Structure formats: C-alpha cells, structure tokens
Amino acid sequence: MNIILTVNGEARSVGAPETTSLLEVLRNHLGLMGTRYGCGLEQCGCCMVLVDEQPTYACTRELGTVAGRQVTTIEGLGMEARPHPLQQAFLDEQAGQCGYCLSGILISAKALLDRNPDPSRAEIVAALDKHLCRCGAHQRILRAVERAAATLRAQGTKGRRPA
C-alpha cells in the first residue's frame, strides 16, 4: 500500500506498511538522514520532526498517522548555501559539539520561534526540555536560539526563513 505525505514541501509516495515508523521511512525509504535515531522511546529528541508544524517524535510515530500531512525535517529547514537563521546562529555560537542531537533541537527551536518570536530564556528551556545533549553545549544552544530569535524578529519573519 502506498501512503502519500508531504515531506519538506514535496508530495512523496511511500510503499511501506502503515505501522512503519516515520523515522524509518524518512531515513530508509526517502534517504533523509538528518533525522537521527536515538532511543526509540521518545526520551532523547534526536528524531524530532514537524508534523503540521508541531514537534513530533518520528521514532514512534507510525506512517499511517501522517498520511496527507506536512512533515518537515532538518533538510527542509535550510540548505548549506542558505542556512536558516537558526542554523546560522548555532554555527555562530558554536552550539554543537558532536551534533547528533542538533537536528531535533533545531526542529523544536523552529516550532518555538514560529509560535513565539520573542521567547524568554525559560520558554526556550521548556521548549527544549525533551532533548538530551550529552556534550554539555546547553548554554551555547540557549544563546543560539536567542540569537536566531533576534535575527528573525529583525527580518520580520518569525521562525520562517526569509524569502
């Protein structure tokens, strides 16, 4: 059975059982390797994607539940030649060390900035609370989100990448 969903703005047809995890579909069927497998139990946030603009654990989300919906992965956020302001802020703040957790963190930060363009430090901490980073870059991550928020506000684009 083929299931159709929109991934990073492109309609995709996936021939996989409805119970296949969204994470497996993204990585193994669609070749989108930026979304990571961490724990498989919704405990670390490495697999976070946006489903209809809401942060969602892809490791436990079944393909059948996203049929006809919009899925955004880290690959849909920005490109190397034109990174999203969040990605640029993370680079500028040197907010990642190993980088394994960052795709999920960036996705959750984007969702936060889309709904709140001027979050407090406490709101950023709460939005990223479901993510584990073992490298100890927590303060840099928080500064990067604050920097990105300021950049996006100055551009008048909220969490969306400027055209």
Side-chain angles (χ1 to χ4, degrees):
M1 170 180 193
N2 279 354
I3 296 175
I4 298 173
L5 61 152
T6 301
V7 180
N8 299 329
E10 181 182 339
R12 304 294 296 261
S13 178
V14 178
E18 291 183 356
T19 56
T20 306
S21 78
L22 178 58
L23 178 61
E24 181 179 333
V25 167
L26 293 171
R27 292 180 62 83
N28 299 339
H29 295 263
L30 301 179
L32 298 170
M33 306 305 276
T35 304
R36 303 289 195 328
Y37 179 85
C39 66
L41 301 168
E42 297 186 4
Q43 300 293 308
C44 71
C46 287
C47 69
M48 198 68 68
V49 297
L50 298 176
V51 175
D52 295 335
E53 300 185 14
Q54 297 301 310
T56 303
Y57 294 101
C59 67
T60 56
R61 189 63 177 260
E62 292 184 353
L63 176 61
T65 68
V66 295
R69 299 179 77 185
Q70 302 280 333
V71 177
T72 304
T73 69
I74 191 68
E75 290 90 350
L77 196 59
M79 301 168 290
E80 187 175 345
R82 194 168 138 227
H84 186 282
L86 261 168
Q87 292 166 312
Q88 189 61 55
F90 271 66
L91 291 169
D92 294 343
E93 290 291 336
Q94 299 179 17
Q97 289 182 27
C98 83
Y100 200 82
C101 64
L102 287 187
S103 59
I105 290 172
L106 283 161
I107 289 293
S108 288
K110 181 184 183 321
L112 169 66
L113 297 181
D114 282 351
R115 71 178 179 273
N116 180 359
D118 193 13
S120 67
R121 173 68 65 107
E123 290 168 321
I124 296 169
V125 168
L128 302 182
D129 186 53
K130 48 191 149 254
H131 295 275
L132 294 178
C133 172
R134 295 182 182 261
C135 295
H138 303 97
Q139 294 304 314
R140 291 178 183 184
I141 289 168
L142 297 175
R143 283 196 309 265
V145 175
E146 290 169 335
R147 178 187 281 228
T151 299
L152 290 163
R153 283 192 311 275
Q155 295 172 347
T157 57
K158 288 180 44 176
R160 295 171 190 3
R161 181 173 35 170

